[in-house]
Amino acid sequence: MAEFSQPSELMDEIVSLTKRRGFIFPSAEIYSGLSGFWDYGPPGVELRENIRKAWWQHTVRVRGDVVGLDSAIITHPGVWEASGHLAHFADEMVDCKKCKKRFKADELTGNKCPACGAAELTEPRKFHLMMKTFVGAAEKETNVAYLRPETCQPIFTDFDLIRGSARARVPFGIAQVGKAFRNEINPRNFTARSREFTQMEMEFFCRAEKADEWFAHWKDYRREWYGKVGFRAENLRFRDHEKDELAHYAKAATDIEYRFPFGWMEFEGIHNRTDFDLRQHQEASGKRLEYFDEETKERFVPHVIETSAGLDRIMLAVLCDAYFVDEAPTGPEAREGGRAEEEKRTVLRLHPLLAPAKVAVLPLRRKLAEPARKIHAELRRFMACDYDETGSIGKRYRRQDEVGTPWCVTYDFESPEDKKATVRDRDTLVQERVEIAQLRRFLQDKLEAYLI
Ligand code: ATP
């Protein structure tokens, strides 16, 4: 079981559901797992991919002033020297001598261990967070390289190449989604603090005097995205950093935080990074990273507004936000449910755009499987579609509820007669008869209403 900063039964339930239904589980569990590393199973892969796509759609596709990059995970070590990571990317940690647990120094209040209460804490010690490897045959110091601890630095090093090839004019942005690695001392809170995770970052290059305006724009724009993918507003907050909290290079920063069952936690940061990074790389590499404005004939190093989100933390927040346990349903579903009607209904109210499967096709009884399979074969060409013929129909509805499938299509004994199937809505439980020939259009119209 994952370790949580504040114990929560609700969080345990969510972790257990994600494992039972194959969303997320410990990496190499048959070897007892490796702390801070997680694997995503079939519905987890789909959900993660849908979140990534929704982010890309909103950040890159629908705008026209942001382009994409997919850079190498291991890059020249000089990048991390210039960015300051080699010298500064470390956490101050404190150990409890009694229970042997380890904590980040800046997360402690007072001199007592948050786990066992003993006042036996060590002095803070620095731990470097970058993961090291060797490039080439020999494991010698000159071959040392690092797995990137964030995805944004390659955006800065590739800035000039991308600007030139995309014929981009300031203001414009570069976005990247990819793996990042941090040797977190104390991985915890399930996937929220892992050692291998995925970031979705965007660096927007603009003139210095326009940076405040673009910072405000990106704050609004990201708020809009969280609304579009269905986050409950009461579980989100935007927290502006005080001047004394800001990183040395930053002029302004806002954390976007989610109310997880274990407490509020940042899952995205928006930063005004000034021209710090481009200048650092310009100086260290000796290559110009300036922009020449054809209209004003000025040459300058652009300033940067960054949006930096963690895909794994957002996915965990999506799961927490969508998790509901309802009273047992009444009406037609209760009658069809067999034993299941007495049980509470666990349901993931995932936004249809994010749901791993949009629809599940279910024959009422096994003997109706053949025509139901035909419907499935047709629908799966157009949308992620599941099929299930085992167990009572009530149980099958519950299974689909637990993985967040928005609609179930049931083929029953009347279907051969009236050429219709029943479409059941996960959230309202309303069932309506829809012509089989119209099913695809019916479901596609529903999905289109949610497009970003
Ligand atoms: P924290 O203070 O929680 O360690 P951070 O401020 O160092 O996070 P950033 O460097 O700003 O985080 O990274 C941007 C985003 O990347 C975070 O908001 C988070 O969503 C994600 N992220 C950072 N570290 C981790 C991690 N260890 N596991 C999973 N996601 C992470």
PDB file of all heavy atoms in Angstrom, residues 104 182 184 191-194 197 199 266-269 271 308-310 313, ligand 1:
ATOM      1  N   LYS A 104      11.265  15.825   4.312  1.00  0.00           N
ATOM      2  CA  LYS A 104      11.850  17.039   3.741  1.00  0.00           C
ATOM      3  C   LYS A 104      11.868  18.093   4.842  1.00  0.00           C
ATOM      4  O   LYS A 104      10.844  18.318   5.503  1.00  0.00           O
ATOM      5  CB  LYS A 104      10.989  17.545   2.579  1.00  0.00           C
ATOM      6  CG  LYS A 104      11.357  16.922   1.247  1.00  0.00           C
ATOM      7  CD  LYS A 104      10.364  17.321   0.188  1.00  0.00           C
ATOM      8  CE  LYS A 104      10.912  18.438  -0.672  1.00  0.00           C
ATOM      9  NZ  LYS A 104      10.070  18.689  -1.867  1.00  0.00           N
ATOM     10  N   ARG A 182      13.424  11.968 -10.888  1.00  0.00           N
ATOM     11  CA  ARG A 182      14.009  12.616  -9.711  1.00  0.00           C
ATOM     12  C   ARG A 182      14.217  11.549  -8.646  1.00  0.00           C
ATOM     13  O   ARG A 182      13.292  10.778  -8.366  1.00  0.00           O
ATOM     14  CB  ARG A 182      13.095  13.713  -9.158  1.00  0.00           C
ATOM     15  CG  ARG A 182      12.939  14.851 -10.114  1.00  0.00           C
ATOM     16  CD  ARG A 182      12.107  15.980  -9.546  1.00  0.00           C
ATOM     17  NE  ARG A 182      11.830  16.935 -10.603  1.00  0.00           N
ATOM     18  CZ  ARG A 182      11.081  18.016 -10.487  1.00  0.00           C
ATOM     19  NH1 ARG A 182      10.518  18.290  -9.314  1.00  0.00           N
ATOM     20  NH2 ARG A 182      10.890  18.819 -11.508  1.00  0.00           N
ATOM     21  N   GLU A 184      13.742  11.116  -5.702  1.00  0.00           N
ATOM     22  CA  GLU A 184      13.030  11.578  -4.509  1.00  0.00           C
ATOM     23  C   GLU A 184      13.453  10.725  -3.322  1.00  0.00           C
ATOM     24  O   GLU A 184      13.482   9.494  -3.413  1.00  0.00           O
ATOM     25  CB  GLU A 184      11.513  11.452  -4.712  1.00  0.00           C
ATOM     26  CG  GLU A 184      10.940  12.324  -5.816  1.00  0.00           C
ATOM     27  CD  GLU A 184      10.742  13.769  -5.392  1.00  0.00           C
ATOM     28  OE1 GLU A 184      11.001  14.098  -4.217  1.00  0.00           O
ATOM     29  OE2 GLU A 184      10.353  14.575  -6.263  1.00  0.00           O
ATOM     30  N   THR A 191       1.062   7.929  -6.624  1.00  0.00           N
ATOM     31  CA  THR A 191       1.859   8.372  -7.772  1.00  0.00           C
ATOM     32  C   THR A 191       2.220   9.857  -7.700  1.00  0.00           C
ATOM     33  O   THR A 191       2.940  10.351  -8.565  1.00  0.00           O
ATOM     34  CB  THR A 191       1.058   8.148  -9.068  1.00  0.00           C
ATOM     35  OG1 THR A 191      -0.215   8.766  -8.891  1.00  0.00           O
ATOM     36  CG2 THR A 191       0.876   6.675  -9.346  1.00  0.00           C
ATOM     37  N   ALA A 192       1.727  10.561  -6.679  1.00  0.00           N
ATOM     38  CA  ALA A 192       1.941  12.016  -6.639  1.00  0.00           C
ATOM     39  C   ALA A 192       3.403  12.375  -6.432  1.00  0.00           C
ATOM     40  O   ALA A 192       3.859  13.424  -6.877  1.00  0.00           O
ATOM     41  CB  ALA A 192       1.082  12.649  -5.542  1.00  0.00           C
ATOM     42  N   ARG A 193       4.135  11.564  -5.719  1.00  0.00           N
ATOM     43  CA  ARG A 193       5.578  11.810  -5.610  1.00  0.00           C
ATOM     44  C   ARG A 193       6.306  10.526  -5.984  1.00  0.00           C
ATOM     45  O   ARG A 193       6.514   9.642  -5.179  1.00  0.00           O
ATOM     46  CB  ARG A 193       5.971  12.282  -4.207  1.00  0.00           C
ATOM     47  CG  ARG A 193       7.425  12.733  -4.164  1.00  0.00           C
ATOM     48  CD  ARG A 193       7.806  13.448  -2.897  1.00  0.00           C
ATOM     49  NE  ARG A 193       7.035  14.643  -2.641  1.00  0.00           N
ATOM     50  CZ  ARG A 193       7.167  15.796  -3.293  1.00  0.00           C
ATOM     51  NH1 ARG A 193       8.046  15.922  -4.254  1.00  0.00           N
ATOM     52  NH2 ARG A 193       6.415  16.832  -2.984  1.00  0.00           N
ATOM     53  N   SER A 194       6.644  10.422  -7.263  1.00  0.00           N
ATOM     54  CA  SER A 194       7.317   9.234  -7.775  1.00  0.00           C
ATOM     55  C   SER A 194       8.737   9.610  -8.165  1.00  0.00           C
ATOM     56  O   SER A 194       9.119  10.777  -8.144  1.00  0.00           O
ATOM     57  CB  SER A 194       6.624   8.701  -9.013  1.00  0.00           C
ATOM     58  OG  SER A 194       5.248   8.871  -8.952  1.00  0.00           O
ATOM     59  N   PHE A 197       8.272  10.111 -13.593  1.00  0.00           N
ATOM     60  CA  PHE A 197       6.942  10.662 -13.833  1.00  0.00           C
ATOM     61  C   PHE A 197       6.935  11.411 -15.161  1.00  0.00           C
ATOM     62  O   PHE A 197       7.973  11.539 -15.805  1.00  0.00           O
ATOM     63  CB  PHE A 197       6.496  11.568 -12.675  1.00  0.00           C
ATOM     64  CG  PHE A 197       7.482  12.663 -12.333  1.00  0.00           C
ATOM     65  CD1 PHE A 197       7.338  13.944 -12.845  1.00  0.00           C
ATOM     66  CD2 PHE A 197       8.571  12.402 -11.519  1.00  0.00           C
ATOM     67  CE1 PHE A 197       8.254  14.947 -12.538  1.00  0.00           C
ATOM     68  CE2 PHE A 197       9.498  13.399 -11.215  1.00  0.00           C
ATOM     69  CZ  PHE A 197       9.332  14.670 -11.719  1.00  0.00           C
ATOM     70  N   GLN A 199       5.908  14.888 -17.285  1.00  0.00           N
ATOM     71  CA  GLN A 199       5.537  16.307 -17.189  1.00  0.00           C
ATOM     72  C   GLN A 199       4.919  16.779 -18.500  1.00  0.00           C
ATOM     73  O   GLN A 199       5.243  16.256 -19.574  1.00  0.00           O
ATOM     74  CB  GLN A 199       6.769  17.155 -16.890  1.00  0.00           C
ATOM     75  CG  GLN A 199       7.282  16.966 -15.471  1.00  0.00           C
ATOM     76  CD  GLN A 199       8.367  17.979 -15.124  1.00  0.00           C
ATOM     77  OE1 GLN A 199       9.256  18.236 -15.932  1.00  0.00           O
ATOM     78  NE2 GLN A 199       8.299  18.541 -13.938  1.00  0.00           N
ATOM     79  N   GLU A 266       0.317  20.852  -4.829  1.00  0.00           N
ATOM     80  CA  GLU A 266       0.505  21.468  -6.156  1.00  0.00           C
ATOM     81  C   GLU A 266       0.535  20.379  -7.229  1.00  0.00           C
ATOM     82  O   GLU A 266       1.173  19.358  -7.041  1.00  0.00           O
ATOM     83  CB  GLU A 266       1.846  22.207  -6.149  1.00  0.00           C
ATOM     84  CG  GLU A 266       2.254  22.714  -7.502  1.00  0.00           C
ATOM     85  CD  GLU A 266       3.766  22.768  -7.691  1.00  0.00           C
ATOM     86  OE1 GLU A 266       4.483  23.205  -6.778  1.00  0.00           O
ATOM     87  OE2 GLU A 266       4.205  22.378  -8.783  1.00  0.00           O
ATOM     88  N   PHE A 267      -0.179  20.600  -8.335  1.00  0.00           N
ATOM     89  CA  PHE A 267       0.020  19.683  -9.463  1.00  0.00           C
ATOM     90  C   PHE A 267       0.401  20.417 -10.734  1.00  0.00           C
ATOM     91  O   PHE A 267       0.686  19.809 -11.748  1.00  0.00           O
ATOM     92  CB  PHE A 267      -1.099  18.677  -9.653  1.00  0.00           C
ATOM     93  CG  PHE A 267      -2.482  19.200  -9.951  1.00  0.00           C
ATOM     94  CD1 PHE A 267      -2.739  20.529 -10.162  1.00  0.00           C
ATOM     95  CD2 PHE A 267      -3.542  18.306 -10.029  1.00  0.00           C
ATOM     96  CE1 PHE A 267      -4.009  20.978 -10.438  1.00  0.00           C
ATOM     97  CE2 PHE A 267      -4.826  18.727 -10.313  1.00  0.00           C
ATOM     98  CZ  PHE A 267      -5.052  20.078 -10.517  1.00  0.00           C
ATOM     99  N   GLU A 268       0.437  21.753 -10.642  1.00  0.00           N
ATOM    100  CA  GLU A 268       0.935  22.541 -11.780  1.00  0.00           C
ATOM    101  C   GLU A 268       1.478  23.858 -11.250  1.00  0.00           C
ATOM    102  O   GLU A 268       0.947  24.412 -10.288  1.00  0.00           O
ATOM    103  CB  GLU A 268      -0.207  22.811 -12.778  1.00  0.00           C
ATOM    104  CG  GLU A 268       0.200  23.795 -13.863  1.00  0.00           C
ATOM    105  CD  GLU A 268      -0.692  23.784 -15.098  1.00  0.00           C
ATOM    106  OE1 GLU A 268      -1.595  22.922 -15.184  1.00  0.00           O
ATOM    107  OE2 GLU A 268      -0.456  24.635 -15.972  1.00  0.00           O
ATOM    108  N   GLY A 269       2.539  24.343 -11.890  1.00  0.00           N
ATOM    109  CA  GLY A 269       3.064  25.659 -11.534  1.00  0.00           C
ATOM    110  C   GLY A 269       3.083  26.540 -12.772  1.00  0.00           C
ATOM    111  O   GLY A 269       3.364  26.065 -13.874  1.00  0.00           O
ATOM    112  N   HIS A 271       4.933  30.000 -14.068  1.00  0.00           N
ATOM    113  CA  HIS A 271       6.059  30.821 -13.619  1.00  0.00           C
ATOM    114  C   HIS A 271       6.436  31.861 -14.654  1.00  0.00           C
ATOM    115  O   HIS A 271       6.398  31.575 -15.856  1.00  0.00           O
ATOM    116  CB  HIS A 271       7.297  29.937 -13.370  1.00  0.00           C
ATOM    117  CG  HIS A 271       7.017  28.735 -12.533  1.00  0.00           C
ATOM    118  ND1 HIS A 271       7.107  27.453 -13.012  1.00  0.00           N
ATOM    119  CD2 HIS A 271       6.613  28.625 -11.241  1.00  0.00           C
ATOM    120  CE1 HIS A 271       6.782  26.593 -12.054  1.00  0.00           C
ATOM    121  NE2 HIS A 271       6.467  27.279 -10.973  1.00  0.00           N
ATOM    122  N   SER A 308       3.839  24.379 -16.054  1.00  0.00           N
ATOM    123  CA  SER A 308       4.525  23.113 -15.800  1.00  0.00           C
ATOM    124  C   SER A 308       3.625  22.203 -14.976  1.00  0.00           C
ATOM    125  O   SER A 308       3.386  22.438 -13.795  1.00  0.00           O
ATOM    126  CB  SER A 308       5.811  23.434 -15.030  1.00  0.00           C
ATOM    127  OG  SER A 308       6.395  22.252 -14.574  1.00  0.00           O
ATOM    128  N   ALA A 309       3.092  21.171 -15.658  1.00  0.00           N
ATOM    129  CA  ALA A 309       2.117  20.298 -14.987  1.00  0.00           C
ATOM    130  C   ALA A 309       2.643  18.872 -14.934  1.00  0.00           C
ATOM    131  O   ALA A 309       3.399  18.447 -15.803  1.00  0.00           O
ATOM    132  CB  ALA A 309       0.790  20.330 -15.747  1.00  0.00           C
ATOM    133  N   GLY A 310       2.216  18.133 -13.927  1.00  0.00           N
ATOM    134  CA  GLY A 310       2.606  16.730 -13.802  1.00  0.00           C
ATOM    135  C   GLY A 310       1.441  15.850 -14.233  1.00  0.00           C
ATOM    136  O   GLY A 310       0.354  15.921 -13.647  1.00  0.00           O
ATOM    137  N   ARG A 313       0.301  13.358 -11.410  1.00  0.00           N
ATOM    138  CA  ARG A 313      -0.466  14.014 -10.332  1.00  0.00           C
ATOM    139  C   ARG A 313      -1.838  14.424 -10.828  1.00  0.00           C
ATOM    140  O   ARG A 313      -2.831  14.301 -10.110  1.00  0.00           O
ATOM    141  CB  ARG A 313       0.278  15.244  -9.815  1.00  0.00           C
ATOM    142  CG  ARG A 313       1.248  14.892  -8.736  1.00  0.00           C
ATOM    143  CD  ARG A 313       1.774  16.113  -8.013  1.00  0.00           C
ATOM    144  NE  ARG A 313       3.091  15.775  -7.479  1.00  0.00           N
ATOM    145  CZ  ARG A 313       3.931  16.640  -6.966  1.00  0.00           C
ATOM    146  NH1 ARG A 313       3.613  17.913  -6.880  1.00  0.00           N
ATOM    147  NH2 ARG A 313       5.099  16.242  -6.505  1.00  0.00           N
TER     148      ARG A 313
HETATM  149  P1  ATP B   1       7.268  19.459  -5.353  1.00  0.00           P
HETATM  150  O1  ATP B   1       7.511  20.722  -4.585  1.00  0.00           O
HETATM  151  O2  ATP B   1       5.953  18.810  -5.071  1.00  0.00           O
HETATM  152  O3  ATP B   1       8.430  18.500  -5.316  1.00  0.00           O
HETATM  153  P2  ATP B   1       8.100  20.937  -7.584  1.00  0.00           P
HETATM  154  O4  ATP B   1       7.692  22.318  -7.217  1.00  0.00           O
HETATM  155  O5  ATP B   1       9.519  20.549  -7.439  1.00  0.00           O
HETATM  156  O6  ATP B   1       7.145  19.879  -6.873  1.00  0.00           O
HETATM  157  P3  ATP B   1       8.126  21.329 -10.346  1.00  0.00           P
HETATM  158  O7  ATP B   1       9.587  21.199 -10.466  1.00  0.00           O
HETATM  159  O8  ATP B   1       7.549  22.720 -10.459  1.00  0.00           O
HETATM  160  O9  ATP B   1       7.615  20.645  -9.033  1.00  0.00           O
HETATM  161  O10 ATP B   1       7.433  20.346 -11.384  1.00  0.00           O
HETATM  162  C1  ATP B   1       6.220  20.625 -12.030  1.00  0.00           C
HETATM  163  C2  ATP B   1       5.200  19.539 -11.822  1.00  0.00           C
HETATM  164  O11 ATP B   1       5.785  18.254 -12.017  1.00  0.00           O
HETATM  165  C3  ATP B   1       4.626  19.482 -10.409  1.00  0.00           C
HETATM  166  O12 ATP B   1       3.585  20.409 -10.244  1.00  0.00           O
HETATM  167  C4  ATP B   1       4.125  18.056 -10.337  1.00  0.00           C
HETATM  168  O13 ATP B   1       2.840  17.941 -10.943  1.00  0.00           O
HETATM  169  C5  ATP B   1       5.132  17.306 -11.182  1.00  0.00           C
HETATM  170  N1  ATP B   1       6.084  16.641 -10.285  1.00  0.00           N
HETATM  171  C6  ATP B   1       7.198  17.162  -9.720  1.00  0.00           C
HETATM  172  N2  ATP B   1       7.828  16.244  -8.981  1.00  0.00           N
HETATM  173  C7  ATP B   1       7.105  15.109  -9.075  1.00  0.00           C
HETATM  174  C8  ATP B   1       7.237  13.791  -8.554  1.00  0.00           C
HETATM  175  N3  ATP B   1       8.263  13.469  -7.779  1.00  0.00           N
HETATM  176  N4  ATP B   1       6.298  12.865  -8.865  1.00  0.00           N
HETATM  177  C9  ATP B   1       5.256  13.161  -9.656  1.00  0.00           C
HETATM  178  N5  ATP B   1       5.070  14.389 -10.188  1.00  0.00           N
HETATM  179  C10 ATP B   1       5.987  15.346  -9.910  1.00  0.00           C
END
